[in-house]
Amino acid sequence: MHLRTYLSARHHNEAWVKGGYIQVDDLSFIKEGFASEIMKHARVKIGMDEINYGDTHFRRTDNAEAINNPFVGNYIMDSFTTEAFGEAYGFYNNFIGMVGMSNGKLNQTAVKGTNWNSPSVYAKIGWDKQVNADLRVRMTGSFIQTNGLSSGGNLYSADRAGGRYYYTLLTENDAMGQDNYATGRFNPGFKKVQAFQLNPFIKYQGLEFFGVYEYVTGNKAAGLTPRATRGDYTQLGAELLYRLGGNEQFYLGGRYNSVTGQDDEVSAERKIDRFNVGGGWFMTKNVVAKVEYVSQKYNDDAVWGATSALRGGKFNGFMFEASIGF
């Protein structure tokens, strides 16, 4: 059984329960040895927590989980949401399979007509093997279909902790409060979405590569399905790290991330590019210090809004971060 709480964050300054779940890997509590041959290859998770769509959520900063992220910021389209869910896993000869369903609600309520959602369905398939002492290879593909008219936006806006690039590209007319918790990120804002994410991972000795290909399509007009109302965005990402030291306690690396797409077939194209380069030092297995240089730019098109700071906008600079994870 797992339970996690945010004590304080940029987006929520108050204590906030992230969620929790029950994970079942053995059914011996029913009867000694019950379905033991099946459970060698199976797992069930049920609860209210982050759903297992894509692999980027394993490498993202989420308050104390900054220790899992080799850089300071998360990906531009930050796919992460916490919902009531059930997931069933199968494992066989390094193959991974998962099917899941969530209720589509970020904020749980029993009030009829509030947060009009429908169940979301998602799945993941992959292969993960430590080929030898020097080489590990992993490849996964994930898919999600959100069906509620308010659940589509959750996938890229549900983070409670907030973005790591604080108050970038805001104007005097923009609120400086927690409403701008997502600066530096982009949410397509579709009402219903279909999204696919492909994640290759290769680690050979100290050299590590992690990649992202993500495609999302949906519409912003509630209840409308004609093709002309549908938009799509593509996200690309690539990380290359080199870990060194007797316990790989030091690392250097870079990350490239881009998002391109349209709100619908008649809108102009949006494009965002980001480049990071930096490194880190694990002082202990629970304490990491990082430094990075980040540069992010937006294309010069009125689709961002004639007075928006994002139109043709750019920010760059150095970020320093230390994290304790326990």
Side-chain angles (χ1 to χ4, degrees):
M1 186 172 184
H2 168 92
L3 178 67
R4 181 165 296 172
T5 301
Y6 297 109
L7 296 183
S8 181
R10 176 185 180 188
H11 189 199
H12 284 277
N13 298 326
E14 76 280 16
W16 190 279
V17 176
K18 174 183 178 180
Y21 58 84
I22 295 174
Q23 178 173 308
V24 180
D25 296 285
D26 190 326
L27 297 178
S28 293
F29 64 91
I30 297 176
K31 181 181 178 182
E32 187 68 29
F34 182 77
S36 59
E37 290 302 313
I38 295 176
M39 295 309 294
K40 287 180 181 179
H41 307 285
R43 171 181 297 163
V44 176
K45 290 175 68 174
I46 301 173
M48 164 67 198
D49 204 89
E50 63 183 271
I51 65 173
N52 190 6
Y53 163 74
D55 280 1
T56 56
H57 72 105
F58 296 125
R59 299 172 70 92
R60 67 184 299 279
T61 294
D62 186 37
N63 278 9
E65 291 191 29
I67 203 163
N68 297 326
N69 188 347
F71 299 94
V72 175
N74 299 328
Y75 282 88
I76 297 170
M77 284 204 313
D78 187 17
S79 52
F80 169 89
T81 182
T82 55
E83 299 174 1
F85 72 90
E87 296 173 351
Y89 291 78
F91 309 95
Y92 187 76
N93 286 350
N94 303 111
F95 286 95
I96 306 164
M98 183 275 297
V99 292
M101 177 179 290
S102 75
N103 69 350
K105 291 180 182 290
L106 175 64
N107 298 313
Q108 305 303 308
T109 175
V111 179
K112 186 177 180 180
T114 304
N115 289 338
W116 184 25
N117 289 354
S118 297
S120 299
V121 292
Y122 54 98
K124 176 180 286 188
I125 188 170
W127 184 79
D128 189 345
K129 184 174 183 179
Q130 188 73 43
V131 179
N132 54 46
D134 293 328
L135 178 64
R136 179 187 173 193
V137 178
R138 175 183 171 96
M139 174 69 79
T140 65
S142 301
F143 173 81
I144 186 169
Q145 166 81 55
T146 70
N147 298 300
L149 293 180
S150 61
S151 60
N154 290 348
L155 187 61
Y156 301 101
S157 67
D159 179 25
R160 306 291 192 187
R164 306 300 296 146
Y165 302 124
Y166 288 59
Y167 303 124
T168 56
L169 296 177
L170 296 178
T171 69
E172 291 182 353
N173 295 324
D174 294 317
M176 292 295 287
Q178 72 169 16
D179 288 343
N180 280 306
Y181 71 94
T183 45
R185 301 192 312 212
F186 175 70
N187 175 17
F190 296 136
K191 301 292 183 180
K192 297 182 180 180
V193 304
Q194 293 176 338
F196 171 79
Q197 187 176 133
L198 184 67
N199 301 114
F201 173 85
I202 301 172
K203 188 174 190 299
Y204 178 73
Q205 295 182 354
L207 189 64
E208 180 178 305
F209 172 81
F210 177 75
V212 180
Y213 172 82
E214 185 169 22
Y215 177 78
V216 56
T217 181
N219 65 66
K220 290 195 171 185
L224 298 181
T225 56
R227 184 173 176 81
T229 69
R230 294 185 67 82
D232 60 85
Y233 284 89
T234 299
Q235 174 165 243
L236 300 176
E239 296 179 18
L240 188 64
L241 304 176
Y242 187 71
R243 300 184 185 272
L244 61 157
N247 296 310
E248 295 189 343
Q249 68 268 36
F250 303 101
Y251 66 88
L252 300 169
R255 174 198 283 171
Y256 174 73
N257 187 197
S258 71
V259 170
T260 57
Q262 300 167 275
D263 287 349
D264 52 55
E265 289 193 346
V266 297
S267 296
E269 182 183 74
R270 300 179 193 265
K271 185 173 183 180
I272 312 171
D273 289 287
R274 180 194 293 167
F275 178 74
N276 307 73
V277 60
W281 172 28
F282 281 88
M283 302 176 186
T284 73
K285 66 178 182 179
N286 301 109
V287 181
V288 64
K290 313 175 195 176
V291 60
E292 73 169 37
Y293 173 80
V294 58
S295 177
Q296 181 165 320
K297 60 182 180 180
Y298 300 72
N299 65 325
D300 186 12
D301 197 284
V303 70
W304 295 107
T307 61
S308 172
L310 300 182
R311 183 178 179 181
K314 178 180 179 179
F315 69 84
N316 58 278
F318 287 92
M319 295 287 292
F320 298 88
E321 181 178 71
S323 177
I324 301 174
F326 54 89

